[in-house]
Amino acid sequence: MIEWRASCQRCLINSQATDIPNRAFSRPRLPLSRFHLMHEYEHVTPTPGSIDVIIAAAGSGSRFGDSQNKLFATLAGRPLWIHTVARLSARAEVGRIVMAVSQSDANLFQNEWSEELKQYRVELVLGGAERSDSVQAALECLEQSESADWIAVHDAARPLVRDVDLSAVFATAWQNEAAILVSPVTATMKRDVGSMNRSVTVPRRDLYTALTPQVFRAGLLKEAYRKHNGRPATDDAELVERTGHDVALVVGAADNLKITYPEDLILAEAILARQSHHA
Ligand code: CTP
Ligand code: MG
């Protein structure tokens, strides 16, 4: 029997009352230049349960083109969203996990996957029309009861994030208040400056593709969302950047793929096999 949480109308499944120890932090914030690039991180370990995770899973997977959400597509024998939550749930730093799902998928999650949701300590919340609406809903859900001082936002559609990259981005955020995983742009970049008849080459030396997780001090992310006011933003880091706060870039593995098209699943199977082999 799944109960609605009385205090939070949008929370679909209450957490299993996990005991989240010691959220206190004493580390000073380090000075950073804007968009500071972190190739390496000092070996710090955020305390157990100090980072709550928001998983954005409320999209429709329209580009994937399946009859159901791409998040239910099978990757190595299980739905890809389970790969995603399993990787995060296994981390000692992770406290609560709130996953935003769409109204049309909510029943499927609750009816078909309640055991797995319980196993991985996942609370469900109804997301919104835009990804930022879904993150906002999860933020509100976190606020309804005890929550950690740090929040990591991760796409459900990125099931391949590596443990070593989670360590790096968690540790960097813990030191610097805001950090995101990125991967260097490898393609030659062109900008159209004349209705597709004239181009300039954009140096790619300082260009990176933004990945997730994106990890923030909770107060900072909440402030960014308060100031959001519906202005379009491509990721959570952009909202934080608008507050004038530095966001550290942590170079992660490029195989932290976002499943978008069916062919991405073939690649994901191969990456997963390789990751398992090297584990
Ligand atoms: N997402 C979300 N809420 C939305 C839209 C997207 O939580 N309103 C989530 C998706 O479920 C996904 C992640 O954000 O895990 C990244 O979005 P994307 O890859 O674009 O997924 P979809 O929006 O589902 O796919 P599409 O754009 O092809 O419809
Ligand atoms: Mg989308």
Side-chain angles (χ1 to χ4, degrees):
M1 172 68 184
I2 294 155
E3 287 178 359
W4 282 72
R5 175 179 299 192
S7 57
C8 177
Q9 292 305 309
R10 304 192 72 165
C11 287
L12 297 180
I13 291 184
N14 205 341
S15 73
Q16 304 306 303
T18 47
D19 183 24
I20 301 166
N22 190 9
R23 298 183 191 290
F25 297 99
S26 55
R27 292 195 73 85
R29 191 182 153 211
L30 298 182
L32 264 185
S33 60
R34 196 166 165 77
F35 309 123
H36 191 74
L37 176 65
M38 306 292 291
H39 280 286
E40 293 182 355
Y41 63 99
E42 195 189 318
H43 287 275
V44 291
T45 311
T47 48
S50 58
I51 303 173
D52 288 336
V53 171
I54 289 175
I55 300 203
S60 59
S62 55
R63 283 171 290 178
F64 196 81
D66 213 348
S67 55
Q68 60 180 3
N69 196 325
K70 63 184 178 183
L71 301 176
F72 298 110
T74 304
L75 175 61
R78 53 185 187 164
L80 73 87
W81 72 269
I82 292 188
H83 289 269
T84 309
V85 296
R87 288 187 181 213
L88 286 150
S89 170
R91 301 289 307 202
E93 308 93 327
V94 169
R96 293 171 63 189
I97 300 178
V98 175
M99 183 161 81
V101 299
S102 67
Q103 179 79 65
S104 49
D105 288 337
N107 283 343
L108 188 57
F109 274 108
Q110 288 176 313
N111 297 336
E112 300 287 326
W113 303 104
S114 62
E115 278 307 309
E116 288 75 6
L117 292 172
K118 201 167 151 185
Q119 178 186 353
Y120 296 114
R121 304 177 289 114
V122 178
E123 303 168 53
L124 292 189
V125 66
L126 283 182
E130 303 293 329
R131 184 183 177 282
S132 56
D133 299 324
S134 303
V135 173
Q136 172 92 56
L139 270 177
E140 286 165 12
C141 183
L142 280 175
E143 277 177 345
Q144 299 299 316
S145 49
E146 195 194 349
S147 51
D149 290 339
W150 299 84
I151 296 173
V153 186
H154 187 57
D155 291 329
R158 290 187 193 274
L160 300 169
V161 62
R162 290 169 183 249
D163 232 22
V164 66
D165 290 340
L166 290 176
S167 298
V169 74
F170 287 171
T172 307
W174 200 61
Q175 285 189 301
N176 301 301
E177 304 209 341
I180 67 172
L181 281 181
V182 295
S183 106
V185 166
T186 53
T188 297
M189 307 300 286
K190 301 287 182 189
R191 176 177 292 125
D192 166 35
V193 289
S195 308
M196 298 302 275
N197 288 319
R198 202 171 136 239
S199 65
V200 292
T201 303
V202 181
R204 64 170 179 240
R205 199 179 46 253
D206 55 358
L207 289 183
Y208 295 85
T209 304
L211 311 172
T212 70
Q214 302 197 341
V215 189
F216 312 95
R217 187 173 52 74
L220 179 59
L221 186 62
K222 286 174 192 166
E223 180 196 343
Y225 267 85
R226 265 197 308 277
K227 292 179 174 166
H228 173 26
N229 281 335
R231 239 173 88 204
T234 54
D235 64 359
D236 307 288
E238 185 177 350
L239 294 180
V240 170
E241 288 159 11
R242 284 182 196 159
T243 70
H245 201 285
D246 295 325
V247 175
L249 305 182
V250 178
V251 177
D255 65 11
N256 179 6
L257 207 67
K258 181 162 74 70
I259 307 297
T260 305
Y261 298 100
E263 50 269 35
D264 294 333
L265 264 189
I266 300 165
L267 197 52
E269 292 272 1
I271 293 168
L272 196 60
R274 192 178 155 80
Q275 286 181 351
S276 311
H277 183 71
H278 290 281

